Amino acid sequence: GWARRGSAGGRRRGGGKALPPKKKPPGAPRPRKAPRPVTVDSAKARTSLEALRISLRALRWKEFPFGRRLPCDIYWHAVSFHENVVYSGQVNKFPGMTEMVRKITLSRAVRTMQDLFPEEYNFYPRSWILPEEFTIFLTEVQLMRDRNPAWKPTFIVKPDGGCQGDGIYLVQEPTDVRMSSNLQSRPAVVQEYISKPMLVDKLKFDIRLYVLLKSLEPLEVYVAQDGLSRFCTEPYQEPALRNLHRVFMHLTNYSLNVHSGNFVHSDSGSTGSKRSLSSILSQLSDSGVDIHKLWSEIIALVIKTVIAMVPELKVYYQADIPSGKPGPSCFQILGFDILLMKTLKPVLLEVNANPSMKIEHEKEYIPSPVDEDIKVAVIRDTLRLVDPRKKKKKKEDETCTVQLPEPTPEDKEDLLEDEPLGRLEPEPSRSPEASLPAPCLKQLLPKYAKQFGYLRLVERIAALFVRFLGVKGTTKLGPTGFRTFVRNAKLSNSGFSMAAADILYIDITRKSSSLGLDQRDAGFDDVLRAPTSLNGGKTSVPSLRPLRPLQIAGAS
């Protein structure tokens, strides 16, 4: 209670009757309770567990390594959203992300944007999907050779579900692509190989950039200011028949090159076969490269790629977590693999849904300082951004602003006789934020939303598609839903009948069946092709305002 100082049992000095405990005067400060620590379920974290634990210790959050019967604030999964049944809180994976970044799905998404905005999406190599586009691949390559006899291309074949360099190979003749029966069960993407990359120390390298997709609605994206540079382990030579098989020369995958006898482990971020991106940028800057311009181009590539991925990702998200229904929110760290051409133009190689967050050298359990410095910072600062207490505080600040009454003179007099105010003042903040380094993640969207908003055209189609999906868990439209979509989307011209829409639907599903896919319904990618079919093979694009050059403040 608020008993008088020096009294016992609430009695006044010098005796007298006991007084009832005095109520707390309006506006008087209350002792601050210690905040409840954020709880994190790490039971499914697997290889990212060590970096996650270091981050949690720095933040003083509470880890549940074997799960918890009560809900946690955050669930950290290693591979996918569906690794655990989660009804609330936040999950570090989006439903459908693994499918979205598969080589075929990503290629289709980027090609859709290339059809609409060819100049804006010229950072992705020409691609063909096998086996369905093998004939088109042969025809187009021959046409390009006829136009330019001096063109001597090399092609790289990447299995759709492959990772860590598995199944990748190079060819110089399209007919050398291995059209085996495996392509039916394991399709692939074939791309034009970048034969003139930027070299450092005569070695080819790529960039692993960490990108946080914090939310889909609103679209919120962050990028880590530092990343990794993974080096090949044999001096680079332009592709020729005699060296196409030399993977340590052509493929930058860390999981391949670590097995090379030339792989160099280093405790420094500026030497060895795996280095920090900042060290490479510093080296390029010393040689006269405009790093601010290069970084701006890399950032633009990241934003445009995310914009290409978001429409179909929203379809997956809506199928698992319908709008207005209870369920967890999601965020995800992505790994963007980027190659620099000799001209310093950045090229997107692929996007990884589950970039390795190990802080040890693969299969050797030797600490890797460069991995720890970069990956721990990315995980720690991701957690800082998704801290549920910040969301709660923001909501309270917006909706619960209370005007406290001014204390009366009597209240002030009583307070002077109570316990010293110093003991009632809020305790100094014990938050570890003050001791943490500045965040390594910098916002891209919505910060640059105005500069890239005109590219978000396909999201409108996705929003309409989602309206007609039907039951939870599906990402396909049945025949009735497809007809309704065509009618409401106004894809058809005045002479297009619903009977024609039915024929189009049959064609879409029949094509999928011919490719060995068990599909009786129309997916979002099928629907994206519908406008082209309805307009006689021509894609109709609304008029767009003039493009403005990208200007990124403080790009460094």
Side-chain angles (χ1 to χ4, degrees):
W2 283 60
R4 298 289 183 180
R5 183 174 54 193
S7 64
R11 303 178 73 89
R12 293 181 182 273
R13 294 191 193 94
K17 293 182 180 181
L19 296 175
K22 189 175 288 289
K23 292 183 179 180
K24 179 180 173 182
R30 297 180 181 179
R32 179 179 293 176
K33 293 181 181 179
R36 179 183 70 83
V38 177
T39 55
V40 180
D41 183 332
S42 63
K44 303 290 184 180
R46 300 188 208 173
T47 57
S48 62
L49 183 58
E50 188 58 33
L52 176 63
R53 281 182 171 163
I54 293 173
S55 302
L56 294 178
R57 284 197 294 267
L59 296 168
R60 300 177 197 167
W61 290 7
K62 190 172 180 62
E63 179 195 0
F64 288 87
F66 304 107
R68 186 191 189 198
R69 283 188 295 177
L70 293 173
C72 281
D73 296 310
I74 294 172
Y75 295 83
W76 197 273
H77 293 178
V79 178
S80 77
F81 173 83
H82 296 288
E83 284 184 76
N84 214 344
V85 179
V86 181
Y87 298 101
S88 62
Q90 300 181 76
V91 184
N92 73 315
K93 302 292 178 188
F94 278 93
M97 183 65 83
T98 302
E99 294 79 7
M100 183 63 240
V101 301
R102 288 173 72 100
K103 294 174 179 63
I104 286 179
T105 314
L106 181 63
S107 291
R108 280 181 171 149
V110 175
R111 287 196 325 194
T112 295
M113 299 303 289
Q114 286 176 330
D115 289 342
L116 297 171
F117 308 99
E119 294 300 319
E120 297 292 307
Y121 281 83
N122 62 4
F123 55 80
Y124 194 67
R126 275 185 288 214
S127 306
W128 296 267
I129 295 165
L130 305 180
E132 69 176 274
E133 296 178 351
F134 183 65
T135 303
I136 298 173
F137 170 53
L138 295 178
T139 303
E140 289 188 354
V141 170
Q142 188 57 52
L143 285 173
M144 286 185 280
R145 281 178 168 169
D146 291 343
R147 290 185 195 132
N148 181 13
W151 183 53
K152 306 288 184 185
T154 299
F155 302 98
I156 183 167
V157 183
K158 304 176 181 179
D160 182 40
C163 61
Q164 300 181 338
D166 177 43
I168 297 177
Y169 62 95
L170 273 61
V171 298
Q172 291 192 314
E173 289 298 326
T175 52
D176 289 340
V177 174
R178 301 166 197 165
M179 291 297 293
S180 64
S181 58
N182 287 341
L183 278 175
Q184 294 296 336
S185 58
R186 195 186 187 192
V189 168
V190 57
Q191 295 180 322
E192 188 174 355
Y193 180 73
I194 307 300
S195 60
K196 295 183 183 296
M198 167 64 66
L199 304 180
V200 169
D201 301 334
K202 299 182 180 179
L203 298 171
K204 180 181 175 181
F205 68 96
D206 75 355
I207 294 167
R208 164 61 60 84
L209 204 58
Y210 296 97
V211 175
L212 170 64
L213 180 55
K214 185 172 179 282
S215 72
L216 281 177
E217 199 62 56
L219 184 56
E220 199 167 344
V221 182
Y222 293 77
V223 66
Q225 289 185 297
D226 204 358
L228 296 172
S229 297
R230 292 93 52 89
F231 280 75
C232 287
T233 46
E234 288 186 16
Y236 182 75
Q237 299 172 12
E238 289 195 27
L241 287 175
R242 65 181 181 277
N243 65 35
L244 293 182
H245 65 285
R246 295 171 69 172
V247 293
F248 297 145
M249 175 189 294
H250 293 293
L251 303 185
T252 53
N253 304 72
Y254 169 76
S255 53
L256 286 177
N257 283 281
V258 74
H259 299 294
S260 166
N262 297 325
F263 190 91
V264 178
H265 293 293
S266 175
D267 289 341
S268 168
S270 58
T271 60
S273 296
K274 185 192 286 187
R275 310 179 194 178
S276 67
L277 171 60
S278 56
S279 73
I280 299 300
L281 293 179
S282 177
Q283 193 170 341
L284 293 176
S285 179
D286 291 343
S287 64
V289 172
D290 185 346
I291 296 303
H292 293 272
K293 181 175 182 293
L294 174 60
W295 184 247
S296 291
E297 291 176 357
I298 291 173
I299 293 307
L301 178 154
V302 169
I303 294 173
K304 292 172 185 178
T305 303
V306 171
I307 287 174
M309 294 166 52
V310 160
E312 191 156 359
L313 195 58
K314 283 187 173 181
V315 174
Y316 282 111
Y317 190 83
Q318 179 71 17
D320 271 283
I321 311 174
S323 178
K325 301 290 184 181
S329 57
C330 303
F331 63 94
Q332 189 155 351
I333 298 170
L334 303 172
F336 275 61
D337 291 348
I338 297 168
L339 183 74
L340 295 182
M341 296 176 64
K342 192 174 182 179
T343 59
L344 290 173
K345 177 183 176 180
V347 174
L348 176 68
L349 298 180
E350 62 183 27
V351 179
N352 294 269
N354 303 303
S356 171
M357 285 296 174
K358 287 189 70 171
I359 56 176
E360 301 165 329
H361 294 295
E362 299 284 342
K363 301 180 181 178
E364 297 185 32
Y365 306 104
I366 303 170
S368 171
V370 66
D371 280 299
E372 182 170 341
D373 288 347
I374 293 168
K375 295 176 182 179
V376 169
V378 169
I379 291 179
R380 180 195 65 224
D381 292 344
T382 292
L383 294 173
R384 291 165 76 181
L385 282 169
V386 301
D387 186 342
R389 297 173 304 188
K390 291 182 179 178
K391 291 183 179 179
K392 184 178 179 183
K393 185 177 184 303
K394 183 179 179 182
K395 190 174 182 181
E396 288 175 350
D397 290 344
E398 291 173 351
T399 61
C400 301
T401 303
V402 179
Q403 184 69 39
L404 296 175
E406 287 291 325
T408 64
E410 290 78 16
D411 292 330
K412 293 178 181 179
E413 186 177 345
D414 286 341
L415 280 169
L416 291 174
E417 296 184 22
D418 283 335
E419 290 285 346
L421 293 179
R423 294 181 57 182
L424 295 173
E425 288 178 351
E427 295 178 7
S429 173
R430 295 180 181 177
S431 169
E433 285 284 337
S435 61
L436 293 175
C440 73
L441 296 173
K442 298 300 179 183
Q443 190 182 84
L444 302 184
L445 294 174
K447 183 175 182 179
Y448 300 116
K450 288 184 178 179
Q451 289 171 267
F452 294 93
Y454 66 95
L455 297 174
R456 299 178 67 177
L457 187 65
V458 182
E459 284 184 58
R460 302 175 202 170
I461 302 176
L464 194 59
F465 181 87
V466 163
R467 285 177 52 191
F468 305 109
L469 271 184
V471 298
K472 178 181 177 181
T474 181
T475 58
K476 311 286 186 183
L477 287 179
T480 303
F482 185 78
R483 286 167 58 96
T484 308
F485 171 82
V486 169
R487 184 167 56 249
N488 283 270
K490 299 179 181 178
L491 296 176
S492 60
N493 55 37
S494 57
F496 189 84
S497 66
M498 285 298 104
D502 292 338
I503 294 171
L504 175 61
Y505 177 83
I506 293 170
D507 287 342
I508 288 173
T509 53
R510 184 181 295 161
K511 182 177 181 181
S512 298
S513 299
S514 69
L515 295 173
L517 303 176
D518 183 17
Q519 179 175 320
R520 294 187 180 89
D521 298 326
F524 180 65
D525 181 67
D526 301 317
V527 168
L528 283 181
R529 291 197 294 265
T532 304
S533 301
L534 297 176
N535 289 285
K538 297 179 181 179
T539 303
S540 176
V541 184
S543 60
L544 303 170
R545 61 179 175 78
L547 310 187
R548 292 184 297 173
L550 174 65
Q551 295 179 346
I552 295 182
S556 59

